[in-house]
Amino acid sequence: MPTALITGATAGIGAAFARRLASDGFDLVLLARDKVRLENTARELHETYAVRTEVLVADLATDEGLAAAEDRCRAGLDLLVNNAGFGNKGLWLDVPLADELALLRVHCEAVLRLTHAVLPGMLERGRGGVINVSSMSAYAVRGTYGAGKAWVIKFSQGVRHDLARRPGAGRVRVMALAPGFVRTEFHERAGMDTSGIPDFLWLDADEVAATALRDLRRGVPVSIPGAQYKALASLSRLVPARVTERIGSRAGRSYD
């Protein structure tokens, strides 16, 4: 059976990827910080889908956690989903610098290092995929979170173009995933008030995962689930930068 590693696998989009991939017959490597939650998730997926589930307890904001994840990636995978992430509440100067650095480490350094660790094995076997989870905030202007997510898209596109220059790499795919608001515990954990977000902007995590996997198979460079968000992404390219900066800043403050 093929094997997939999912970071941030116990909740939200990560858990949705785990369910979908298990139902598709993938063995799973589930990575997160909470051992008890990981073990419960692994047991449920094994019992429901009869797939092998491996638990990797790791904090990707630490040297030890990153090294452990890199080692598992080098051991061989068919799919890597770089999904782990979090948000910091408050305006930029009000957030402790250590928290912002941890965010960048999880959202950017971990994505770079795990992608770098997994791709050589995929290229050697001539197949594999990497999904790097970004966000629609990459198309707005909103502090460290949005900047990091914009980096994820540009990084994924750059790696994709580099792979295209390698003979025999046609079945190894790298894709960024940029969902909008998804009904998960993400905002609650960050202490953000989302009561003002219109219902039509919310996406279902299972549908996001299904869309991402379908787009990866199709070779889409950046997957944007939901017609409403595809339209917003297109609009962001036409609106003057000063307008998107103003809108992004005001919208961001609404959820602090």
Side-chain angles (χ1 to χ4, degrees):
M1 285 187 180
T3 302
L5 187 154
I6 307 162
T7 69
T10 57
I13 295 173
F17 268 112
R19 289 191 296 271
R20 178 54 187 260
L21 289 167
S23 71
D24 287 345
F26 276 75
D27 290 334
L28 301 176
V29 183
L30 307 175
L31 184 152
R33 294 177 298 175
D34 189 326
K35 181 179 179 180
V36 173
R37 198 172 186 184
L38 265 177
E39 290 176 344
N40 288 339
T41 300
R43 183 176 59 255
E44 291 171 5
L45 290 168
H46 171 69
E47 292 175 352
T48 302
Y49 300 104
V51 296
R52 294 175 57 191
T53 53
E54 178 183 339
V55 166
L56 179 54
V57 181
D59 182 351
L60 296 180
T62 67
D63 290 335
E64 297 79 9
L66 282 169
E70 284 177 304
D71 287 345
R72 185 58 186 84
C73 286
R74 292 191 188 101
L77 296 170
D78 298 281
L79 177 65
L80 168 65
V81 182
N82 278 312
N83 166 76
F86 62 93
N88 289 325
K89 179 183 178 183
L91 298 177
W92 186 70
L93 280 176
D94 297 332
V95 178
L97 180 59
D99 293 349
E100 294 285 75
L101 291 172
L103 184 148
L104 284 177
R105 194 163 211 206
V106 173
H107 289 203
C108 300
E109 182 180 346
V111 169
L112 185 152
R113 289 175 60 170
L114 299 193
T115 301
H116 189 274
V118 81
L119 279 179
M122 291 181 175
L123 289 170
E124 184 177 342
R125 293 187 299 275
R127 67 182 188 279
V130 178
I131 299 175
N132 294 325
V133 179
S134 178
S135 165
M136 281 299 296
S137 65
Y139 296 94
V141 178
R142 178 56 188 151
T144 306
Y145 184 88
K149 291 302 187 181
W151 180 89
V152 170
I153 289 179
K154 292 299 185 183
F155 167 75
S156 302
Q157 291 175 318
V159 174
R160 175 187 173 89
H161 284 297
D162 282 353
L163 289 177
R165 301 171 63 183
R166 289 178 174 267
R171 295 181 63 195
V172 179
R173 294 174 177 171
V174 176
M175 184 188 78
L177 169 63
F181 292 110
V182 184
R183 295 195 183 279
T184 69
E185 60 186 47
F186 174 90
H187 298 94
E188 181 181 350
R189 290 173 62 184
M192 299 176 184
D193 180 11
T194 59
S195 58
I197 300 174
D199 286 342
F200 79 92
L201 287 179
W202 287 103
L203 300 172
D204 176 76
D206 291 310
E207 292 179 4
V208 168
T211 298
L213 293 169
R214 182 175 65 247
D215 284 347
L216 182 69
R217 290 192 296 270
R218 293 174 175 175
V220 174
V222 181
S223 175
I224 301 177
Q228 67 275 51
Y229 287 111
K230 287 182 173 65
L232 287 172
S234 297
L235 183 62
S236 71
R237 301 185 186 100
L238 302 175
V239 175
R242 65 181 182 277
V243 176
T244 59
E245 288 174 8
R246 190 178 308 120
I247 293 172
S249 177
R250 289 176 179 172
R253 282 195 292 270
S254 298
Y255 308 121
D256 291 340

